[in-house]
Amino acid sequence: MSNQQYIIICYSTSQMLRADSLLKALNVTTDLIPTPSEYGSICSTAIAISHKDKEIAEKILMDHNFAVKGIFPHEIRKLSGLMESLKNTVISQPFKDIMKKVETGETLSKEEITYLLKVEGSEKKVLFETADRMRKEIVGDVVEVRAAIEFSNYCNKSCHYCGIRNGCSVPNRYRMTEDEIMEAVHQLHKTGIKTVVLQSGEDDYYTVDLLIQLIKRIKRETKMGITLSVGERSYEEYAALKKAGANNYLLKIETTNPEIFQFIHPDDDLQVRKQCAQWLKELGYVNASGNMIGLPGQRPEDIAEDILFFKEMGIHMIGIGPFIPAKGTPFEKYPQGSVEMTLKAVAVTRLVCKNVFIPATTALASIDPDGQRKALQAGANSLMLISTPPKYRLNYQIYSNKNMIDLDSAIEAIKEAGRRLPKYLVLNEEVSV
Ligand code: SAH
């Protein structure tokens, strides 16, 4: 089959990056993608190549004495028996045609993705169930739990939607000291959680040197995985932070529609944001992105483009949340995004991007108390706790009435969704696993 893809799996991220640049330098077209789960952790990145380049790639790697774990056919994920299971369901012909493609693993077009984002009634139910099955087959039943420490709410940007934007009157602006952050990190470490997300506004106070010092200390004292979410920075800064030990980077694209992007971000440029995502990927970060649902002027077609962007960029973790108006911002009177559209976007993203992490977002929990369970049953497989110390939390209201997801509410959502807690969690006696 001429369109058969192959994937090269390396022993480490640095080897993978070296192999990738070597192949690229010798004119082999490569793509970096999340490693399919059957070949290891989906947190790692694999190199995808086409059938026609397989032999030449093998030769190049051999000539340069590159030991790789292997080159495997990139199996297309199928959902066998899907059509059979739908034979007594009332669904339209166009929907059936798309489900047939999902069953055989064919790529969905923008039009088909848009169609799925618009379904209602029994088709919506089938969409959620199919995404849930894809999630189960690819990433299993365990819900990955991560936790965020929002360490500064100072921000030099004025994104129109954001409740901590520059110019917005926040009760108090705060910056946590390194010791305060470490105290919160240690508390998390005791719960067994393996990854801490360090998030802030775009605050120049935290220079790269300060962040490097913090990253090294977290690694030295806890060895936890570190996700940074500190906005747009230069290539050199991203490289230095990676070298210091940061593992993942969360920078949401928010929307791929250039006009909407411009309208909501007076200080930003979509091309720069895309460039940052590209750099993060090239530097070997586990790349996290996401979007908001229900932005002014956003249509299902725009959300379909966002999903295609996640796929084409090989994004590992995709946070999809409803837009929620924040008091005191230019968008405070705008209507909030819908729970149903957010859930459909989660489900379609699972069907299109397949082996990725999709969190049931805090934003969803903030507009629907049952939102996280619903997302976990529509394709999502991870949860993020808010672990900012209580005295600062209320000052990090990026949107109004933000839900403070703690370990107990996360455990509840996981149980209600009929899913498994990760083994690494250290639980109190009264909580039965
Ligand atoms: N300064 C960092 C972190 C921003 S806050 C950065 O730029 O990456 C993290 C996320 O919160 C944003 O990416 C955005 O998707 C979300 N967010 C901010 N305001 C929001 C709102 N009003 N409604 C919903 N989500 C919002």
Side-chain angles (χ1 to χ4, degrees):
M1 224 204 311
S2 60
N3 65 352
Q4 169 78 58
Q5 272 206 332
Y6 283 84
I7 47 165
I8 305 171
I9 311 276
C10 298
Y11 285 102
S12 67
T13 304
S14 63
Q15 275 198 357
M16 182 272 302
L17 290 171
R18 277 191 293 128
D20 184 57
S21 34
L22 176 66
L23 292 170
K24 279 202 172 85
L26 295 169
N27 292 324
V28 176
T29 309
T30 61
D31 206 7
L32 297 181
I33 60 163
T35 301
S37 45
E38 57 271 35
Y39 300 120
S41 159
I42 65 170
C43 280
S44 64
T45 304
I47 304 168
I49 54 169
S50 74
H51 179 258
K52 69 171 179 39
D53 286 334
K54 180 174 176 255
E55 268 177 39
I56 180 87
E58 268 171 339
K59 186 166 175 344
I60 293 171
L61 294 172
M62 203 143 60
D63 289 350
H64 289 79
N65 285 327
F66 239 107
V68 295
K69 262 196 201 165
I71 303 185
F72 307 98
H74 190 187
E75 295 299 343
I76 301 168
R77 273 289 175 171
K78 301 192 171 89
L79 282 186
S80 322
L82 177 62
M83 295 319 290
E84 179 62 22
S85 71
L86 297 180
K87 71 174 192 280
N88 293 325
T89 319
V90 184
I91 48 177
S92 68
Q93 194 55 44
F95 185 77
K96 251 187 214 160
D97 293 342
I98 301 175
M99 286 300 117
K100 260 184 219 151
K101 285 190 156 186
V102 172
E103 174 174 280
T104 55
E106 269 175 85
T107 310
L108 300 187
S109 67
K110 180 178 168 188
E111 288 66 36
E112 289 161 339
I113 294 174
T114 307
Y115 185 98
L116 290 181
L117 290 167
K118 292 179 180 171
V119 293
E120 293 298 339
S122 62
E123 295 186 352
K124 186 172 78 179
K125 187 164 170 275
V126 170
L127 170 66
F128 292 169
E129 285 167 3
T130 310
D132 195 45
R133 180 174 160 203
M134 182 80 90
R135 182 273 309 153
K136 188 176 173 71
E137 290 191 12
I138 293 184
V139 292
D141 277 344
V142 174
V143 177
E144 170 84 5
V145 180
R146 301 186 169 177
I149 300 171
E150 298 146 330
F151 64 92
S152 161
N153 68 353
Y154 280 86
C155 192
N156 55 35
K157 294 220 165 143
S158 302
C159 308
H160 288 323
Y161 50 86
C162 184
I164 60 163
R165 69 198 291 271
N166 185 8
C168 193
S169 71
V170 180
N172 278 305
R173 295 278 175 184
Y174 69 90
R175 290 186 175 111
M176 288 170 67
T177 64
E178 188 182 295
D179 285 342
E180 283 178 310
I181 300 172
M182 284 313 298
E183 200 183 313
V185 168
H186 280 292
Q187 270 181 21
L188 277 179
H189 189 51
K190 280 192 211 130
T191 67
I193 287 176
K194 295 237 171 301
T195 305
V196 57
V197 182
L198 300 172
Q199 190 178 87
S200 69
E202 301 209 12
D203 182 4
D204 293 336
Y205 173 86
Y206 287 94
T207 57
V208 166
D209 288 344
L210 278 183
L211 290 173
I212 288 177
Q213 195 175 303
L214 174 64
I215 291 167
K216 289 194 168 157
R217 199 165 153 202
I218 295 175
K219 287 289 175 191
R220 200 169 55 236
E221 295 181 21
T222 71
K223 299 197 170 55
M224 286 172 89
I226 300 174
T227 301
L228 291 178
S229 179
V230 294
E232 292 176 8
R233 302 255 174 170
S234 68
Y235 180 86
E236 289 69 29
E237 289 181 304
Y238 286 149
L241 295 166
K242 179 82 183 54
K243 189 156 169 264
N247 308 90
N248 321 325
Y249 204 102
L250 168 62
L251 181 72
K252 293 197 187 184
I253 196 78
E254 317 294 3
T255 173
T256 51
N257 176 310
E259 283 164 59
I260 302 176
F261 190 95
Q262 213 55 59
F263 180 67
I264 67 177
H265 296 116
D267 318 306
D268 286 336
D269 181 309
L270 180 59
Q271 289 315 317
V272 173
R273 185 72 61 119
K274 285 188 173 169
Q275 176 65 263
C276 287
Q278 184 65 34
W279 285 337
L280 291 165
K281 175 168 151 167
E282 284 167 17
L283 285 163
Y285 279 97
V286 175
N287 215 346
S289 185
N291 61 353
M292 278 182 277
I293 303 295
L295 291 170
Q298 188 188 45
R299 300 157 310 152
E301 287 75 3
D302 300 313
I303 302 172
E305 278 295 348
D306 297 348
I307 296 173
L308 287 169
F309 167 81
F310 301 142
K311 177 166 181 251
E312 277 149 28
M313 284 295 291
I315 300 289
H316 288 79
M317 177 145 186
I318 303 163
I320 300 169
F323 156 73
I324 306 174
K327 284 197 194 75
T329 64
F331 286 180
E332 72 176 336
K333 298 254 160 58
Y334 282 48
Q336 71 183 27
S338 96
V339 173
E340 290 307 305
M341 185 53 95
T342 306
L343 293 172
K344 285 193 270 186
V346 164
V348 180
T349 301
R350 173 62 70 198
L351 294 182
V352 172
C353 300
K354 300 187 166 108
N355 58 322
V356 288
F357 282 105
I358 303 181
T361 52
T362 312
L364 195 52
S366 301
I367 60 167
D368 180 347
D370 214 15
Q372 289 191 307
R373 177 195 57 78
K374 291 179 184 167
L376 288 175
Q377 292 177 328
N381 70 322
S382 92
L383 286 177
M384 179 126 90
L385 314 180
I386 303 294
S387 298
T388 307
K391 68 171 173 176
Y392 295 126
R393 260 177 221 181
L394 287 177
N395 291 305
Y396 202 89
Q397 294 269 344
I398 44 183
Y399 39 82
S400 300
N401 307 316
K402 180 165 149 234
N403 195 323
M404 298 304 164
I405 305 298
D406 59 10
L407 193 51
D408 291 342
S409 58
I411 290 172
E412 200 178 301
I414 295 173
K415 287 188 167 172
E416 280 177 8
R419 299 280 281 286
R420 284 168 47 210
L421 301 172
K423 289 217 174 70
Y424 51 73
L425 280 187
V426 180
L427 299 166
N428 303 328
E429 260 97 307
E430 59 271 20
V431 189
S432 56
V433 188

